[in-house]
């Protein structure tokens, strides 16, 4: 029988222990990452002893042959790839630019071996890649391709030879295959990083998960940013981050997109089940199963759909800037107009002060006066909203108050940036930054 502790053992365990011993806070980041051993059949040609896809660090049999200090260095390097979200950011850069060279991006994401604190305060991975990627598209026709190949082949033959790569014939092959051709900067960077194995595999589960769930990716980026900052502050001079503060992961999904997604899922009209009419399959079979049996009653769906309802709870004891309130109001107006949803507006602090019903697209929050400084109790406000049976509720607040009542419908707590560290009692926290 396998020991429970064996499930958490991997080839990198001694290296993780060494990191935690010398830098407990930053070394502890490795404990947030999934580690997996792979066999020789899963190793690609030219692969390093360890690589990551942004969610998992994978160790090859060659990792066991490295000395412990070098193993610790490799693990720290891969942990920072995961913490800084490099594979996910490569996927996002591809969505923005269309064509991103994975090898060049991998070189940009490598830890540099010289004291470059000043440069790293100005450059993150995305800006560095945009600066060095001067690849040119291939010739559009055979008539214009020939002289370009001759000129470019003569100019880049020396570059490729110095880098240990192919000669000018390789460039002609790139042009013939429709691939972009390296410019002077791309060629120099490729030669500079030619001896470093590619340890980023953005096609793995980490990047795909980010592509499928942008909201979760934004939350993971926020969580990793907070972990890195806490670890950096805890270990001080021994922090693995050192000068990499400029490359901290940023939340890529703005709050309007998250709000639209949440409201769209909840306010979209769904067909209602109707017990007064049979389903089409029941009618097609004439209510019979075989020669003698009868099918049980199968209800159909009703074309008369209920009007979706949004409960908008505004805590007037909080303090939200006018421009932020205006942006939030415009988002709510647009969503209710799009889904023809009725908005129930509940305003109050420790009690309900006002209740309004707004037709689709007519809910204007900019006329609300935020008094500030008062106490808040969310229970009476949520109970009032629950009386109107909404499909979803959004609470605009600073989250300073109890919430003893928990409704059955989903709740989104929208808070200003000054209260981004508040803990939601339930539901989803949305920071209006």
């Amino acid at each position: 029988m396998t020991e429970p502790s064996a499930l958490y053992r991997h080839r990198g365990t001694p290296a993780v222990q060494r990191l935690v011993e010398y830098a407990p806070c930053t070394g502890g980041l490795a404990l947030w990452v999934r580690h997996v051993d792979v066999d020789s059949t899963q190793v690609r040609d030219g692969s390093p002893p360890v690589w990551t896809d942004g969610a998992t660090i994978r160790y090859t049999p060659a990792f066991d042959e490295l000395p412990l200090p070098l193993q610790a260095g490799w693990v720290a390097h891969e942990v920072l790839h995961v913490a800084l979200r490099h594979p996910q950011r490569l996927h996002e850069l591809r969505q923005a630019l269309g064509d991103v060279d994975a090898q060049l991006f991998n070189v940009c994401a490598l830890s540099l071996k010289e004291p470059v604190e000043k440069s790293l305060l100005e450059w993150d991975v995305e800006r560095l890649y945009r600066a060095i990627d001067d690849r040119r598209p291939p010739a559009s026709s055979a008539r214009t391709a020939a002289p370009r190949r001759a000129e470019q082949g003569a100019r880049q033959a020396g570059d490729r030879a110095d880098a240990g790569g192919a000669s000018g014939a390789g460039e002609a092959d790139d042009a013939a295959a429709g691939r972009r051709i390296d410019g002077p900067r791309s060629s120099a960077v490729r030669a500079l990083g030619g001896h470093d194995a590619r340890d980023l595999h953005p096609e793995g589960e980490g990047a795909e998960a980010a592509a499928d769930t942008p909201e979760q990716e934004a939350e993971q980026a926020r969580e990793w940013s907070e972990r890195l900052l806490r670890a950096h502050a805890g270990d001080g001079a021994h922090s693995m981050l050192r000068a990499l503060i400029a490359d901290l992961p940023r939340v890529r999904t703005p709050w309007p997109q998250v709000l639209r997604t949440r409201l769209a899922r909840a306010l979209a009209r769904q067909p209602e089940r109707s017990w007064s009419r049979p389903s089409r399959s029941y009618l097609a079979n004439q209510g019979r199963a075989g020669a003698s049996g009868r099918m049980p009653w199968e209800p159909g769906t009703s074309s008369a759909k209920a009007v979706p309802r949004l409960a908008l709870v505004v805590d007037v004891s909080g303090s939200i800037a006018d421009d932020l309130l205006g942006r939030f109001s415009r988002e709510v107006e647009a969503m209710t107009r799009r889904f023809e949803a009725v908005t129930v507006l509940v305003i109050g602090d420790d009690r309900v002060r006002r209740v309004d019903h707004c037709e689709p697209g007519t809910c204007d929050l900019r006329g609300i006066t935020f008094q500030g400084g008062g106490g808040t109790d969310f229970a009476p406000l949520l109970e009032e909203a629950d009386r109107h049976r909404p499909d979803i509720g959004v609470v605009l607040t600073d989250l300073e108050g109890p919430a003893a009542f928990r409704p059955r419908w989903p709740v989104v707590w929208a808070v200003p940036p000054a209260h981004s560290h508040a803990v939601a009692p339930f539901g989803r926290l949305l920071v209006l930054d």
Side-chain angles (χ1 to χ4, degrees), residues 68 75 125 139 250 278 339 376 399:
L68 183 57
V75 172
V125 174
R250 296 173 176 84
F339 293 100
T376 303
L399 262 179

Side-chain angles (χ1 to χ4, degrees), residues 149 153 160 167-178 181:
R149 286 178 189 165
R160 292 186 180 269
S167 63
E171 180 184 335
D173 293 339
D174 288 345
I181 303 169

Side-chain angles (χ1 to χ4, degrees), residues 123-138:
W123 296 91
D124 57 17
V125 174
E126 289 84 357
R127 290 186 60 194
L128 184 58
Y129 179 86
R130 292 173 185 266
I132 63 116
D133 186 7
D134 60 347
R135 295 174 299 148
R136 299 180 298 276

Side-chain angles (χ1 to χ4, degrees), residues 200-212:
L200 287 182
H201 292 178
E203 67 278 7
E205 60 188 64
E208 291 181 1
D212 295 337

